[in-house]
Amino acid sequence: MRKKSSILLVVALIASFPALGFSQKTPLSAKHKAWLEDEVAYIITPVERDVFKKLETDADRDSLIVEFWRQRDPTPGTPRNEFKDEHYRRLAFADKTFSKGVPFQGRKTERGRIYIALGPPVDVQRYMDIDINPSEIWTFRGNPALGQIPLFRILFYQRGGGDYVIYNPIANSPKDLVLNPRMKKKEAGAPEDWDEWDAGAVEVLTDRMLQDVIAVAWANAPGLTGIGGRLQSSILLAEVQSYPQKKVNDNYTRAILEHRPVVEVSYSVKFIGNRTAAAVLEGPGGVSFLHLALVPETISFERYEDRYLADLRTTWRLADDAGKTVFQQEKSVSFNLRPEELKRLQANSFQLYDAVPVIPGRWTLSLLLENLVTKEFTTVEKKVEVSGPGGPAISPLILARQVVRNVPADGAERAFQVGRVQVYPSVNNVFPEKSRFFAFLQLRGLTEDLKAEGRMRFALTGDNRTLWSTERALKDYPDPGTVLEEIAADKLAAAIYTLRASLADGGGREILAAQTEVRLTTDTVPGLWVSAQPLPPAGDPAIDYVLGMQSLNVGRVEAAVSSLAKAFAAGPNVASYAVGYAKALLTAGSPAKARDVLLPLAEAKDGDFDLFETLGRAARGAGQTREAVTWLKRALSLRGNVVEVLNLLGECHADLGEKEEAGFAWKKSLQIMPGQERIKKLIENLKQ
């Protein structure tokens, strides 16, 4: 009998992300509105709340609810979620205890809100006296590790015989605590906003020996005194009520929302964090490649008999500052591990390396990693700047515990390989204390003088002192543009240091420099378990195709035509190369040439929408309108009713005087997208 199970491997730590805000798009069902406003109102983060409102289906909302509780589960992997159980216990306690004398649930009272958000206080003092409003002081202990104050108190008082409310040292004053305060002259040092009634109220509280109440009326935490203490206390009251929200990383909601078109609903309950390192390096043929090292927080393998399986898929997207897609690509890698291989992976840090060619410019990288077997996913977003040809330039420093020199020249280059050097970067620049590590960088645009006379300097500093340094002539490196240096930190204790690398000319003048932070630690640093994806070799038409399409997408038409012409020349029967080249030619104003490129493939190929749609546009631009109708209809037969193609088909029929056919195509387009004013006017013109 075949056995199937799942095993979870924790391989790295999660990094935090900034919060985003979203607005409500669709109404909530009664069940989901109750969950949001009644059940988790005091513990949900603003990001979680807004994303929940923006989700469009009940299935998506249900998935987020599952993930909401999973993110707070202190013992993941066990049947019970202690946090969830405790939260619903607090709701029930609040409803039972604090609903007396009020016309609503106890959870909606101020005492109920504080109890649900912060849990049971470590101490409660109650004050009942004929001259004062019934009052309670709740004492809590915070967790400094979470940025919480160690000890704080909250004063509640019963207002007008109704519900208990929170006393705020800024919004309230002592007279609010006393039933019948008497007037008394203010004493020196009393707050300016207190009046004679407040002075009389303090006297009443003093007479009743309620010094604790007076103290909390001034400040709700030790060490807060004077007028400034009252202000800090008021701020603290707001902060402590947000403590539950600060215990959770709500980045998972951002990933769910932003990747909803790509990620299946089931992924929304399997979000994982990650760490990354990225660098732009010159690769085969002088092309810039964006290299990325991705370390997922976890990676799960599904057991099948005696093997452990995982199928990973990465979706790369580069966008410009306006959010327009410049490049998008999917890649896959599968794992089929034996038990001994799994053990090695468990003992090390799993890292996925990949790289893509990229044109010069400033881009935003968005990457989605999916585990297709276990339905886990994670996301990456980074700003990327790629410099073009020009003067001398230096890459960021890449630090690594491990490198391989003299990689065999006959093998395919891989991510984070430059020439004959393979680097295995650290994603967080953390190394064991008293150890050695490597620093790698790339120099571009070097003059012949710099190659002959330039010198590289490395310095490791701490506490404003240089603790280690070295200097070497550029010509002493096997490749002056590829600098690899071993950093001798074997005498340095655990601490944070700065590593600086600089290039000086023959006269000692510094030309370029780069630096990064290094952390040496006493903790055990795991080894590496790397999956590095191969890069296309120099001259591969796939590189020209990717660069050409990127150039076309950003409007660099001349560069697009040049690159795509090279790809097409190397692979004239590859449909994607031909279609890309034809699109560039169309944009450049050469429809007849674009038609010539595609005709041989169209006559021999079935089932390619892009081919027939582009050929239809090219034929119309070249004056072959009847032929264009044929190709556009073939495109529609493959993908159904596409608005843009229907509109173009209608224009072709109109050009041929075929009003009925033109009207049919345009009306079909309006059924799909009713708000097209231009198409409505074209239909009206047919009636004239």
Side-chain angles (χ1 to χ4, degrees):
M1 181 177 179
R2 293 178 175 175
K3 295 182 178 179
K4 197 174 184 181
S5 61
S6 181
I7 182 170
L8 184 67
L9 309 176
V10 178
V11 295
L13 297 175
I14 187 169
S16 62
F17 295 87
L20 298 180
F22 303 97
S23 58
Q24 182 172 354
K25 184 178 180 180
T26 57
L28 302 176
S29 66
K31 179 185 75 170
H32 293 109
K33 185 176 182 180
W35 181 83
L36 185 66
E37 297 179 0
D38 260 4
E39 298 178 30
V40 298
Y42 307 140
I43 64 172
I44 192 169
T45 72
V47 173
E48 289 172 320
R49 179 186 301 276
D50 292 336
V51 170
F52 188 80
K53 289 181 177 180
K54 194 172 181 87
L55 294 176
E56 298 181 358
T57 68
D58 285 348
D60 288 349
R61 291 166 183 148
D62 288 339
S63 295
L64 190 143
I65 290 173
V66 172
E67 178 65 6
F68 174 92
W69 294 117
R70 191 181 78 87
Q71 289 289 325
R72 291 161 170 80
D73 190 352
T75 56
T78 63
R80 184 185 173 204
N81 185 332
E82 294 83 355
F83 181 95
K84 182 179 179 181
D85 292 348
E86 169 63 12
H87 178 71
Y88 281 100
R89 186 201 67 78
R90 293 180 187 180
L91 287 173
F93 180 89
D95 285 344
K96 181 179 179 180
T97 307
F98 306 124
S99 60
K100 299 172 184 177
V102 295
F104 40 80
Q105 289 176 296
R107 69 183 66 183
K108 296 187 181 298
T109 66
E110 296 198 9
R111 286 186 299 172
R113 182 176 77 244
I114 293 299
Y115 186 89
I116 292 165
L118 303 180
V122 296
D123 182 66
V124 176
Q125 295 293 327
R126 295 180 174 88
Y127 304 92
M128 307 289 290
D129 192 280
I130 192 171
D131 289 329
I132 69 168
N133 286 312
S135 304
E136 296 180 1
I137 295 177
W138 292 13
T139 302
F140 293 91
R141 294 191 185 278
N143 184 352
L146 298 176
Q148 300 173 0
I149 192 167
L151 182 73
F152 58 92
R153 297 180 294 180
I154 298 178
L155 171 60
F156 298 92
Y157 70 98
Q158 192 175 30
R159 183 171 54 190
D163 186 26
Y164 281 77
V165 295
I166 295 174
Y167 180 94
N168 186 313
I170 292 295
N172 298 111
S173 64
K175 62 176 175 284
D176 295 324
L177 302 173
V178 177
L179 287 173
N180 298 297
R182 52 181 178 264
M183 294 183 66
K184 182 188 175 185
K185 184 179 179 181
K186 287 176 58 176
E187 296 182 0
E192 291 184 4
D193 56 331
W194 286 10
D195 57 23
E196 289 82 359
W197 297 103
D198 291 309
V202 171
E203 185 176 66
V204 171
L205 294 171
T206 303
D207 290 345
R208 298 296 185 271
M209 302 181 67
L210 301 179
Q211 299 302 325
D212 284 346
V213 175
I214 297 173
V216 180
W218 271 94
N220 49 26
L224 301 182
T225 60
I227 303 301
R230 292 175 63 216
L231 177 59
Q232 293 178 54
S233 294
S234 181
I235 295 171
L236 177 62
L237 279 173
E239 287 183 350
V240 297
Q241 295 178 64
S242 69
Y243 280 174
Q245 302 168 11
K246 296 179 180 178
K247 293 181 180 179
V248 65
N249 179 355
D250 53 20
N251 180 61
Y252 74 93
T253 58
R254 166 184 172 175
I256 289 171
L257 192 61
E258 292 187 356
H259 294 276
R260 176 61 54 190
V262 180
V263 180
E264 297 178 11
V265 169
S266 59
Y267 288 129
S268 66
V269 296
K270 297 286 185 73
F271 174 80
I272 55 177
N274 66 75
R275 289 187 182 273
T276 57
V280 176
L281 301 171
E282 188 176 281
V287 174
S288 292
F289 278 75
L290 171 59
H291 296 249
L292 184 76
L294 173 62
V295 181
E297 178 191 27
T298 65
I299 180 170
S300 298
F301 288 81
E302 197 163 59
R303 183 177 179 180
Y304 185 77
E305 297 182 342
D306 64 341
R307 311 289 288 195
Y308 296 89
L309 311 177
D311 289 326
L312 305 183
R313 178 173 66 193
T314 57
T315 303
W316 293 68
R317 179 178 179 266
L318 290 174
D320 61 16
D321 290 340
K324 180 182 178 183
T325 298
V326 176
F327 167 77
Q328 187 160 322
Q329 175 179 286
E330 286 187 2
K331 289 188 176 183
S332 298
V333 57
S334 298
F335 299 96
N336 187 340
L337 304 183
R338 297 186 298 273
E340 59 271 21
E341 294 174 316
L342 182 67
K343 288 181 180 179
R344 287 199 296 271
L345 175 55
Q346 287 176 302
N348 293 284
S349 171
F350 172 80
Q351 304 194 3
L352 180 66
Y353 295 175
D354 205 352
V356 295
V358 59
I359 60 174
R362 297 177 61 184
W363 318 116
T364 298
L365 166 67
S366 298
L367 184 136
L368 170 68
L369 172 68
E370 303 165 86
N371 188 333
L372 303 180
V373 172
T374 61
K375 306 302 183 183
E376 295 169 318
F377 80 103
T378 191
T379 61
V380 176
E381 183 167 307
K382 286 185 176 292
K383 297 293 185 181
V384 178
E385 185 163 357
V386 184
S387 59
I394 189 170
S395 74
L397 274 167
I398 301 173
L399 305 187
R401 290 177 61 195
Q402 181 181 346
V403 299
V404 176
R405 295 181 173 93
N406 299 318
V407 175
D410 55 349
E413 289 195 11
R414 296 183 178 273
F416 287 101
Q417 179 184 342
V418 178
R420 303 287 298 279
V421 177
Q422 175 71 62
V423 180
Y424 297 92
S426 167
V427 295
N428 55 6
N429 289 356
V430 175
F431 304 95
E433 68 171 351
K434 300 180 180 178
S435 66
R436 289 173 173 255
F437 57 91
F438 296 90
F440 174 86
L441 59 83
Q442 194 175 59
L443 300 170
R444 303 175 68 173
L446 294 176
T447 64
E448 293 303 318
D449 286 343
L450 281 174
K451 291 179 183 179
E453 300 178 4
R455 300 188 67 82
M456 282 301 305
R457 299 167 179 163
F458 287 86
L460 194 62
T461 60
D463 293 329
N464 296 317
R465 294 185 300 119
T466 299
L467 305 173
W468 173 89
S469 64
T470 190
E471 184 173 328
R472 184 185 302 198
L474 267 185
K475 62 184 179 182
D476 291 342
Y477 293 99
D479 174 6
T482 302
V483 176
L484 178 65
E485 194 69 50
E486 187 172 16
I487 308 302
D490 44 355
K491 295 182 180 180
L492 299 181
I496 297 176
Y497 302 92
T498 298
L499 178 66
R500 190 173 193 274
S502 59
L503 170 66
D505 61 18
R509 182 172 61 94
E510 185 177 289
I511 303 296
L512 300 168
Q515 70 179 40
T516 189
E517 198 173 77
V518 183
R519 186 162 68 90
L520 303 185
T521 179
T522 57
D523 297 335
T524 300
V525 179
L528 304 179
W529 200 100
V530 175
S531 174
Q533 305 308 299
L535 306 183
D540 191 309
I543 297 177
D544 290 315
Y545 172 72
V546 170
L547 297 177
M549 293 305 296
Q550 291 177 9
S551 296
L552 184 61
N553 289 334
V554 298
R556 301 174 190 174
V557 180
E558 185 176 346
V561 170
S562 176
S563 295
L564 291 167
K566 294 177 185 177
F568 176 70
N573 295 320
V574 178
S576 58
Y577 296 172
V579 171
Y581 183 36
K583 288 180 177 179
L585 291 170
L586 276 172
T587 307
S590 301
K593 191 172 181 180
R595 174 176 174 269
D596 292 342
V597 167
L598 294 179
L599 269 178
L601 285 176
E603 293 169 352
K605 186 176 178 65
D606 290 324
D608 194 319
F609 170 86
D610 286 340
L611 174 62
F612 295 132
E613 189 263 349
T614 305
L615 182 53
R617 294 182 182 278
R620 185 185 185 225
Q624 304 295 323
T625 307
R626 178 63 63 190
E627 178 187 308
V629 169
T630 300
W631 300 126
L632 293 174
K633 286 183 175 180
R634 288 189 68 177
L636 289 171
S637 71
L638 295 171
R639 193 171 289 182
N641 294 320
V642 179
V643 168
E644 293 81 2
V645 179
L646 284 170
N647 291 343
L648 183 60
L649 178 61
E651 292 172 17
C652 289
H653 282 304
D655 291 345
L656 294 169
E658 299 167 349
K659 293 186 176 182
E660 184 176 349
E661 290 84 350
F664 179 82
W666 287 335
K667 289 176 182 177
K668 194 70 176 177
S669 174
L670 285 176
Q671 289 177 5
I672 302 169
M673 188 180 294
Q676 301 180 80
E677 296 301 324
R678 185 180 73 88
I679 299 302
K680 291 178 182 178
K681 290 180 181 179
L682 289 175
I683 293 175
E684 287 298 318
N685 292 339
L686 291 177
K687 300 175 183 179
Q688 299 176 1

